[in-house]
Coordinates of all heavy atoms in Angstrom, one line a residue:
A1159 N 0.9 -1.2 0.0 CA 0.0 0.0 0.0 C 0.9 1.3 0.0 O 1.9 1.3 0.7 CB -0.9 0.0 1.2
P1160 N 0.5 2.2 -0.8 CA 1.3 3.5 -0.8 C 1.7 4.1 0.5 O 2.8 4.5 0.7 CB 0.4 4.4 -1.7 CG -0.4 3.5 -2.5 CD -0.7 2.3 -1.6
R1161 N 0.7 4.2 1.4 CA 1.0 4.9 2.6 C 2.0 4.1 3.5 O 2.8 4.7 4.1 CB -0.4 5.0 3.5 CG -1.3 6.0 2.8 CD -2.5 6.3 3.7 NE -2.1 7.1 4.9 CZ -2.8 7.2 6.0 NH1 -3.9 6.6 6.1 NH2 -2.4 7.9 7.0
V1162 N 1.9 2.8 3.4 CA 2.9 2.0 4.1 C 4.3 2.2 3.6 O 5.3 2.4 4.4 CB 2.5 0.5 4.1 CG1 3.6 -0.4 4.7 CG2 1.2 0.2 4.8
R1163 N 4.4 2.2 2.3 CA 5.7 2.5 1.6 C 6.2 3.9 2.1 O 7.4 4.1 2.4 CB 5.7 2.4 0.1 CG 5.4 1.0 -0.4 CD 5.7 0.9 -1.9 NE 5.0 1.9 -2.7 CZ 3.8 1.7 -3.2 NH1 3.1 0.7 -2.9 NH2 3.2 2.7 -4.0
A1164 N 5.4 4.9 2.1 CA 5.8 6.2 2.4 C 6.2 6.4 3.8 O 7.3 6.9 4.1 CB 4.6 7.2 2.1
F1165 N 5.4 5.8 4.7 CA 5.8 6.0 6.2 C 7.0 5.1 6.5 O 7.8 5.4 7.4 CB 4.6 5.7 7.0 CG 3.7 6.9 7.0 CD1 2.5 6.7 6.3 CD2 4.0 8.0 7.5 CE1 1.5 7.8 6.3 CE2 3.1 9.2 7.4 CZ 1.9 9.0 6.8
S1166 N 7.2 4.0 5.8 CA 8.3 3.1 6.1 C 9.6 3.8 5.8 O 10.6 3.6 6.5 CB 8.2 1.7 5.4 OG 8.3 1.9 4.0
A1167 N 9.6 4.6 4.7 CA 10.8 5.3 4.3 C 11.2 6.3 5.4 O 12.4 6.4 5.8 CB 10.6 6.0 3.0
Q1168 N 10.2 7.0 5.9 CA 10.5 8.0 6.9 C 11.0 7.3 8.2 O 12.0 7.7 8.8 CB 9.2 8.7 7.3 CG 8.6 9.6 6.2 CD 9.4 11.0 6.1 OE1 9.9 11.4 7.1 NE2 9.3 11.6 5.0
A1169 N 10.4 6.2 8.5 CA 10.8 5.5 9.7 C 12.2 4.9 9.5 O 13.1 5.1 10.5 CB 9.8 4.4 10.1
L1170 N 12.5 4.3 8.5 CA 13.9 3.8 8.2 C 14.9 4.8 8.2 O 16.0 4.6 8.9 CB 13.8 3.0 6.9 CG 14.9 2.1 6.5 CD1 15.0 1.0 7.5 CD2 14.7 1.5 5.1
A1171 N 14.7 5.9 7.6 CA 15.7 7.0 7.6 C 15.9 7.6 9.0 O 17.0 8.0 9.3 CB 15.2 8.1 6.6
S1172 N 15.0 7.6 9.8 CA 15.2 8.2 11.2 C 15.8 7.2 12.2 O 16.5 7.5 13.0 CB 13.8 8.8 11.7 OG 12.9 7.7 11.9
V1173 N 15.5 5.9 12.0 CA 15.9 4.9 12.9 C 17.2 4.3 12.5 O 18.1 4.1 13.4 CB 14.9 3.8 13.0 CG1 15.4 2.6 13.9 CG2 13.6 4.2 13.6
R1174 N 17.5 4.1 11.2 CA 18.8 3.5 10.8 C 19.4 4.3 9.7 O 19.7 3.7 8.6 CB 18.4 2.0 10.3 CG 17.7 1.3 11.3 CD 17.7 -0.2 11.0 NE 18.9 -0.8 11.5 CZ 19.1 -2.0 11.7 NH1 18.1 -2.9 11.5 NH2 20.3 -2.5 12.1
P1175 N 19.7 5.5 9.9 CA 20.2 6.4 8.8 C 21.6 6.0 8.3 O 22.0 6.3 7.1 CB 20.3 7.8 9.4 CG 20.4 7.5 10.9 CD 19.6 6.3 11.1
D1176 N 22.4 5.3 9.1 CA 23.7 4.9 8.8 C 23.9 3.6 8.1 O 24.9 3.2 7.6 CB 24.7 5.1 9.9 CG 24.8 6.4 10.5 OD1 24.9 7.4 9.6 OD2 24.7 6.6 11.7
E1177 N 22.8 2.8 8.1 CA 22.9 1.5 7.4 C 22.9 1.6 5.9 O 22.1 2.4 5.4 CB 21.6 0.7 7.8 CG 21.6 0.3 9.3 CD 22.7 -0.6 9.8 OE1 23.0 -1.5 9.0 OE2 23.2 -0.4 10.9
P1178 N 23.7 1.0 5.2 CA 23.8 1.0 3.7 C 22.4 0.7 3.1 O 22.1 1.3 2.0 CB 24.8 0.1 3.3 CG 25.7 -0.2 4.6 CD 24.8 0.1 5.8
E1179 N 21.8 -0.2 3.6 CA 20.4 -0.6 3.0 C 19.4 0.4 3.1 O 18.5 0.5 2.3 CB 19.9 -1.9 3.6 CG 20.8 -3.1 3.7 CD 21.8 -3.0 5.0 OE1 21.3 -2.7 6.0 OE2 22.9 -3.3 4.8
T1180 N 19.6 1.3 4.1 CA 18.6 2.4 4.3 C 18.5 3.3 3.1 O 17.5 3.6 2.6 CB 18.9 3.2 5.6 OG1 18.8 2.3 6.7 CG2 18.0 4.3 5.8
L1181 N 19.6 3.8 2.7 CA 19.7 4.7 1.5 C 19.0 4.1 0.3 O 18.2 4.7 -0.4 CB 21.1 5.2 1.2 CG 21.3 6.2 0.2 CD1 20.5 7.5 0.5 CD2 22.8 6.5 0.0
A1182 N 19.3 2.8 0.0 CA 18.7 2.1 -1.2 C 17.2 2.0 -1.0 O 16.4 2.3 -2.0 CB 19.3 0.8 -1.4
G1183 N 16.8 1.7 0.2 CA 15.4 1.6 0.4 C 14.7 2.9 0.3 O 13.5 3.0 -0.2
V1184 N 15.2 4.0 0.9 CA 14.5 5.2 0.9 C 14.5 5.8 -0.5 O 13.6 6.4 -1.0 CB 15.2 6.2 1.9 CG1 14.6 7.6 1.8 CG2 15.1 5.7 3.3
L1185 N 15.6 5.5 -1.3 CA 15.7 6.0 -2.7 C 14.6 5.3 -3.5 O 13.9 5.9 -4.3 CB 17.0 5.7 -3.3 CG 17.2 6.1 -4.8 CD1 16.9 7.6 -5.0 CD2 18.6 5.7 -5.3
K1186 N 14.4 4.0 -3.3 CA 13.3 3.3 -4.0 C 12.0 3.9 -3.7 O 11.1 4.1 -4.6 CB 13.3 1.8 -3.5 CG 12.4 0.9 -4.2 CD 12.4 -0.5 -3.8 CE 11.4 -1.3 -4.5 NZ 11.5 -2.7 -4.2
V1187 N 11.7 4.5 -2.5 CA 10.4 5.0 -2.2 C 10.4 6.4 -2.9 O 9.4 6.8 -3.5 CB 10.3 5.3 -0.7 CG1 9.1 6.1 -0.4 CG2 10.2 3.9 0.0
A1188 N 11.5 7.2 -3.0 CA 11.6 8.5 -3.6 C 11.3 8.3 -5.2 O 10.7 9.2 -5.7 CB 12.9 9.1 -3.4
L1189 N 11.6 7.2 -5.7 CA 11.4 6.9 -7.1 C 10.1 6.3 -7.5 O 9.9 6.0 -8.6 CB 12.6 6.1 -7.7 CG 14.0 6.7 -7.6 CD1 15.0 5.6 -8.0 CD2 14.2 7.9 -8.4
D1190 N 9.3 6.1 -6.4 CA 8.0 5.5 -6.6 C 7.1 6.2 -7.6 O 7.2 7.5 -7.8 CB 7.2 5.4 -5.3 CG 6.1 4.4 -5.3 OD1 5.0 4.8 -5.8 OD2 6.3 3.3 -4.8
E1191 N 6.3 5.5 -8.4 CA 5.5 6.2 -9.4 C 4.3 7.1 -8.8 O 3.8 7.9 -9.4 CB 4.9 5.2 -10.4 CG 4.0 4.1 -9.7 CD 3.7 3.0 -10.7 OE1 4.5 2.7 -11.5 OE2 2.6 2.5 -10.5
N1192 N 4.0 6.7 -7.5 CA 2.9 7.4 -6.8 C 3.6 8.7 -6.3 O 4.6 8.6 -5.4 CB 2.3 6.6 -5.7 CG 1.3 7.3 -4.9 OD1 1.5 8.4 -4.5 ND2 0.2 6.6 -4.7
E1193 N 3.1 9.9 -6.7 CA 3.8 11.1 -6.3 C 3.8 11.4 -4.8 O 4.7 11.9 -4.3 CB 3.2 12.3 -7.1 CG 3.5 12.3 -8.5 CD 2.7 13.4 -9.3 OE1 1.7 13.9 -8.8 OE2 3.2 13.8 -10.5
N1194 N 2.6 11.0 -4.2 CA 2.7 11.2 -2.7 C 3.7 10.3 -2.0 O 4.3 10.8 -1.0 CB 1.2 10.9 -2.2 CG 0.2 11.9 -2.7 OD1 0.5 13.1 -2.8 ND2 -1.0 11.4 -3.0
V1195 N 3.9 9.1 -2.5 CA 4.9 8.2 -1.9 C 6.3 8.8 -2.2 O 7.1 8.9 -1.3 CB 4.8 6.8 -2.5 CG1 5.9 5.9 -2.1 CG2 3.4 6.2 -2.1
S1196 N 6.5 9.2 -3.4 CA 7.7 9.8 -3.8 C 8.1 11.0 -2.9 O 9.2 11.2 -2.5 CB 7.7 10.2 -5.3 OG 8.9 10.8 -5.7
L1197 N 7.1 11.9 -2.7 CA 7.4 13.1 -1.9 C 7.9 12.7 -0.5 O 8.9 13.3 0.0 CB 6.1 13.9 -1.7 CG 5.7 14.8 -2.8 CD1 4.3 15.4 -2.6 CD2 6.7 15.9 -2.9
M1198 N 7.3 11.6 0.1 CA 7.8 11.2 1.5 C 9.2 10.6 1.4 O 10.0 10.9 2.2 CB 6.8 10.2 2.0 CG 5.4 10.6 2.3 SD 5.2 11.6 3.8 CE 5.3 10.3 5.0
G1199 N 9.5 10.0 0.3 CA 10.8 9.4 0.2 C 11.9 10.6 0.0 O 12.9 10.5 0.5
I1200 N 11.5 11.5 -0.8 CA 12.3 12.7 -1.0 C 12.6 13.4 0.3 O 13.7 13.8 0.7 CB 11.7 13.7 -2.1 CG1 11.7 13.0 -3.4 CG2 12.5 15.0 -2.1 CD1 10.9 13.7 -4.5
Q1201 N 11.6 13.6 1.1 CA 11.7 14.3 2.4 C 12.5 13.4 3.3 O 13.4 14.0 4.1 CB 10.3 14.5 3.0 CG 9.5 15.5 2.3 CD 8.0 15.6 2.8 OE1 7.6 14.7 3.5 NE2 7.3 16.4 2.3
A1202 N 12.4 12.1 3.3 CA 13.3 11.2 4.1 C 14.8 11.4 3.7 O 15.6 11.4 4.5 CB 12.7 9.8 4.0
L1203 N 14.9 11.4 2.4 CA 16.3 11.6 1.9 C 16.9 12.9 2.4 O 18.1 13.0 2.9 CB 16.4 11.6 0.4 CG 16.2 10.2 -0.2 CD1 16.1 10.3 -1.7 CD2 17.3 9.2 0.2
G1204 N 16.2 14.0 2.4 CA 16.6 15.2 2.9 C 16.9 15.1 4.4 O 17.9 15.7 4.8
G1205 N 16.1 14.4 5.2 CA 16.4 14.2 6.5 C 17.7 13.4 6.8 O 18.3 13.5 7.9
M1206 N 18.2 12.7 5.8 CA 19.4 12.0 6.0 C 20.7 12.9 5.8 O 21.8 12.5 6.0 CB 19.5 10.8 5.1 CG 18.4 9.8 5.3 SD 18.4 8.4 4.2 CE 19.9 7.6 4.6
G1207 N 20.4 14.1 5.2 CA 21.5 15.0 5.1 C 22.6 14.5 4.2 O 22.3 13.8 3.2
G1208 N 23.9 14.8 4.5 CA 25.0 14.4 3.7 C 25.1 12.9 3.5 O 25.8 12.5 2.5
R1209 N 24.5 12.1 4.3 CA 24.6 10.6 4.1 C 23.9 10.3 2.8 O 24.1 9.1 2.3 CB 23.9 9.9 5.3 CG 24.7 10.0 6.6 CD 24.0 9.2 7.6 NE 22.8 9.9 8.0 CZ 22.6 10.5 9.2 NH1 23.5 10.5 10.1 NH2 21.4 11.2 9.4
A1210 N 23.1 11.1 2.3 CA 22.3 10.8 1.0 C 23.0 11.5 -0.3 O 22.4 11.5 -1.3 CB 20.9 11.3 1.1
R1211 N 24.2 11.9 -0.1 CA 24.9 12.6 -1.2 C 25.0 11.8 -2.5 O 25.0 12.3 -3.6 CB 26.3 13.1 -0.7 CG 26.9 14.1 -1.7 CD 28.1 14.7 -1.1 NE 27.7 15.9 -0.2 CZ 28.0 16.0 1.0 NH1 28.8 15.2 1.5 NH2 27.5 17.0 1.7
S1212 N 25.1 10.5 -2.3 CA 25.3 9.6 -3.5 C 24.0 9.6 -4.4 O 24.0 9.1 -5.5 CB 25.7 8.3 -3.1 OG 24.7 7.6 -2.4
V1213 N 22.9 10.1 -3.9 CA 21.6 10.0 -4.7 C 21.2 11.4 -5.3 O 20.1 11.6 -5.8 CB 20.4 9.4 -3.9 CG1 20.8 8.1 -3.4 CG2 20.0 10.3 -2.7
V1214 N 22.1 12.4 -5.2 CA 21.8 13.7 -5.7 C 21.4 13.7 -7.1 O 20.4 14.3 -7.5 CB 23.0 14.6 -5.5 CG1 22.9 15.9 -6.3 CG2 23.2 15.0 -4.0
D1215 N 22.0 12.9 -8.0 CA 21.6 12.8 -9.4 C 20.3 12.3 -9.5 O 19.5 12.8 -10.5 CB 22.7 12.0 -10.3 CG 24.0 12.6 -10.3 OD1 24.1 13.9 -10.2 OD2 25.0 11.9 -10.6
D1216 N 19.8 11.3 -8.8 CA 18.5 10.9 -8.8 C 17.5 11.9 -8.4 O 16.4 12.1 -9.1 CB 18.3 9.6 -7.9 CG 19.2 8.5 -8.4 OD1 18.9 7.9 -9.5 OD2 20.1 8.1 -7.7
L1217 N 17.8 12.7 -7.4 CA 16.9 13.8 -7.0 C 16.8 14.8 -8.1 O 15.7 15.3 -8.3 CB 17.4 14.4 -5.7 CG 17.2 13.5 -4.5 CD1 18.0 14.2 -3.3 CD2 15.7 13.4 -4.1
I1218 N 17.9 15.2 -8.7 CA 17.8 16.2 -9.8 C 16.9 15.7 -10.9 O 16.1 16.6 -11.4 CB 19.3 16.5 -10.2 CG1 20.0 17.2 -9.2 CG2 19.3 17.3 -11.6 CD1 21.5 17.4 -9.4
K1219 N 16.9 14.4 -11.3 CA 16.0 14.0 -12.2 C 14.6 14.1 -11.8 O 13.7 14.5 -12.6 CB 16.3 12.5 -12.6 CG 17.6 12.3 -13.3 CD 18.0 10.9 -13.5 CE 19.4 10.6 -14.0 NZ 19.9 9.3 -13.9
L1220 N 14.3 13.9 -10.5 CA 12.9 14.0 -10.0 C 12.5 15.4 -10.1 O 11.2 15.7 -10.1 CB 12.9 13.5 -8.6 CG 13.0 11.9 -8.4 CD1 13.1 11.6 -6.9 CD2 11.8 11.2 -9.1
A1221 N 13.3 16.4 -10.0 CA 12.9 17.8 -10.1 C 12.2 18.2 -11.4 O 11.6 19.3 -11.4 CB 14.1 18.6 -9.8
A1222 N 12.3 17.3 -12.4 CA 11.6 17.6 -13.7 C 10.1 17.6 -13.4 O 9.4 18.2 -14.2 CB 12.0 16.7 -14.7
N1223 N 9.6 16.9 -12.4 CA 8.2 16.8 -12.1 C 7.9 18.0 -11.2 O 8.4 18.1 -10.0 CB 8.0 15.5 -11.4 CG 6.5 15.4 -11.0 OD1 5.8 16.3 -10.7 ND2 6.0 14.1 -11.0
D1224 N 7.1 18.9 -11.7 CA 6.7 20.2 -11.0 C 6.2 19.9 -9.6 O 6.3 20.6 -8.6 CB 5.7 21.0 -11.8 CG 6.3 21.6 -13.0 OD1 7.5 21.8 -13.1 OD2 5.6 22.0 -13.9
K1225 N 5.4 18.8 -9.4 CA 4.8 18.5 -8.1 C 5.9 18.0 -7.1 O 5.7 18.1 -5.9 CB 3.8 17.4 -8.2 CG 2.6 17.9 -9.0 CD 1.5 16.7 -9.1 CE 0.3 17.2 -9.9 NZ -0.7 16.2 -10.0
L1226 N 7.0 17.6 -7.6 CA 8.1 17.1 -6.7 C 9.3 18.2 -6.5 O 10.1 18.0 -5.6 CB 8.7 15.8 -7.3 CG 7.7 14.7 -7.5 CD1 8.5 13.5 -8.1 CD2 7.0 14.3 -6.2
R1227 N 9.3 19.1 -7.4 CA 10.4 20.0 -7.4 C 10.7 20.7 -6.1 O 11.8 20.8 -5.7 CB 10.2 21.0 -8.5 CG 11.5 21.9 -8.7 CD 11.4 22.9 -9.8 NE 12.6 23.7 -9.9 CZ 13.6 23.4 -10.7 NH1 13.7 22.3 -11.4 NH2 14.7 24.2 -10.7
G1228 N 9.7 21.2 -5.4 CA 9.9 21.9 -4.2 C 10.5 21.0 -3.1 O 11.4 21.4 -2.4
A1229 N 10.1 19.8 -3.0 CA 10.6 18.8 -2.1 C 12.0 18.5 -2.4 O 12.8 18.4 -1.5 CB 9.7 17.5 -2.1
V1230 N 12.3 18.4 -3.8 CA 13.7 18.1 -4.2 C 14.6 19.3 -3.8 O 15.7 19.1 -3.2 CB 13.8 17.9 -5.7 CG1 15.2 17.8 -6.2 CG2 13.1 16.5 -6.1
E1231 N 14.2 20.4 -4.0 CA 15.0 21.6 -3.6 C 15.3 21.6 -2.1 O 16.4 21.9 -1.6 CB 14.2 22.9 -4.0 CG 14.2 23.1 -5.5 CD 13.4 24.4 -5.9 OE1 12.8 25.0 -5.1 OE2 13.4 24.6 -7.1
N1232 N 14.3 21.4 -1.3 CA 14.4 21.3 0.2 C 15.4 20.2 0.5 O 16.3 20.4 1.4 CB 13.1 21.1 0.9 CG 12.3 22.4 0.8 OD1 12.8 23.5 0.7 ND2 11.0 22.2 0.9
A1233 N 15.3 19.0 0.0 CA 16.2 17.9 0.2 C 17.6 18.3 -0.1 O 18.6 18.0 0.6 CB 15.7 16.6 -0.5
L1234 N 17.7 18.9 -1.3 CA 19.1 19.2 -1.7 C 19.8 20.3 -0.8 O 21.0 20.2 -0.6 CB 19.1 19.7 -3.1 CG 18.9 18.6 -4.2 CD1 18.8 19.2 -5.6 CD2 20.0 17.6 -4.2
R1235 N 19.0 21.2 -0.2 CA 19.6 22.1 0.7 C 20.2 21.4 1.9 O 21.2 21.9 2.4 CB 18.4 23.1 1.2 CG 18.1 24.1 0.2 CD 17.1 25.1 0.8 NE 16.6 26.0 -0.3 CZ 15.5 25.8 -1.0 NH1 14.7 24.9 -0.6 NH2 15.2 26.6 -2.0
S1236 N 19.6 20.2 2.3 CA 20.2 19.5 3.4 C 21.2 18.6 3.0 O 22.2 18.3 3.9 CB 19.1 18.7 4.1 OG 18.0 19.5 4.5
I1237 N 21.1 18.0 1.8 CA 22.1 17.0 1.4 C 23.4 17.7 0.8 O 24.5 17.3 1.1 CB 21.5 16.1 0.3 CG1 20.3 15.4 0.9 CG2 22.5 15.1 -0.2 CD1 19.4 14.6 -0.1
D1238 N 23.2 18.5 -0.2 CA 24.3 19.2 -0.9 C 23.9 20.5 -1.6 O 23.5 20.5 -2.7 CB 24.8 18.2 -2.0 CG 26.1 18.7 -2.7 OD1 26.6 19.8 -2.4 OD2 26.5 18.0 -3.7
P1239 N 23.9 21.5 -0.8 CA 23.4 22.8 -1.3 C 24.0 23.2 -2.7 O 23.3 23.9 -3.5 CB 23.7 23.8 -0.2 CG 23.9 23.0 1.0 CD 24.4 21.7 0.5
D1240 N 25.2 22.9 -2.9 CA 25.8 23.2 -4.2 C 25.1 22.6 -5.4 O 25.1 23.0 -6.5 CB 27.3 22.8 -4.2 CG 28.1 23.7 -3.2 OD1 27.7 24.8 -2.9 OD2 29.2 23.2 -2.9
A1241 N 24.4 21.4 -5.2 CA 23.7 20.7 -6.2 C 22.5 21.5 -6.7 O 22.0 21.3 -7.8 CB 23.3 19.4 -5.7
L1242 N 22.0 22.5 -5.9 CA 20.8 23.2 -6.4 C 21.1 23.9 -7.7 O 20.2 24.1 -8.5 CB 20.5 24.3 -5.3 CG 19.7 23.8 -4.1 CD1 19.8 24.8 -3.0 CD2 18.4 23.3 -4.4
S1243 N 22.4 24.3 -7.9 CA 22.7 25.0 -9.2 C 22.6 24.1 -10.4 O 22.6 24.5 -11.5 CB 24.1 25.6 -9.1 OG 25.1 24.6 -9.0
R1244 N 22.6 22.8 -10.2 CA 22.4 21.8 -11.3 C 21.0 21.6 -11.7 O 20.8 20.8 -12.6 CB 23.1 20.6 -10.9 CG 24.7 20.8 -10.7 CD 25.4 19.5 -10.2 NE 25.0 18.3 -10.7 CZ 25.1 17.1 -10.1 NH1 25.5 17.1 -8.8 NH2 24.5 16.0 -10.6
L1245 N 20.0 22.0 -10.9 CA 18.6 21.8 -11.3 C 18.3 22.4 -12.6 O 18.7 23.5 -12.9 CB 17.7 22.4 -10.2 CG 17.7 21.6 -8.9 CD1 16.8 22.4 -7.9 CD2 17.1 20.2 -9.1
P1246 N 17.4 21.8 -13.4 CA 17.1 22.3 -14.7 C 16.2 23.5 -14.6 O 15.5 23.7 -13.6 CB 16.3 21.2 -15.4 CG 16.0 20.2 -14.3 CD 16.9 20.5 -13.1

């Protein structure tokens, strides 16, 4: 269910942010086709800060969707502010 996927990303990122599997799991949620689920994943990535630096390129691609762009910008401010200049 979409809500379960969305909330699991938030929980995983807050409870186990340093586990390698966490980043992969949260990114999978951010890339979900359901925009509401994707928004929660993007927010969770932002909450991980610099630990999510390796997914900056994925976030930049998501910014092409107008509904996700604001969340991507906020996440990038936490992850890698310099990457904001790479947004289309």
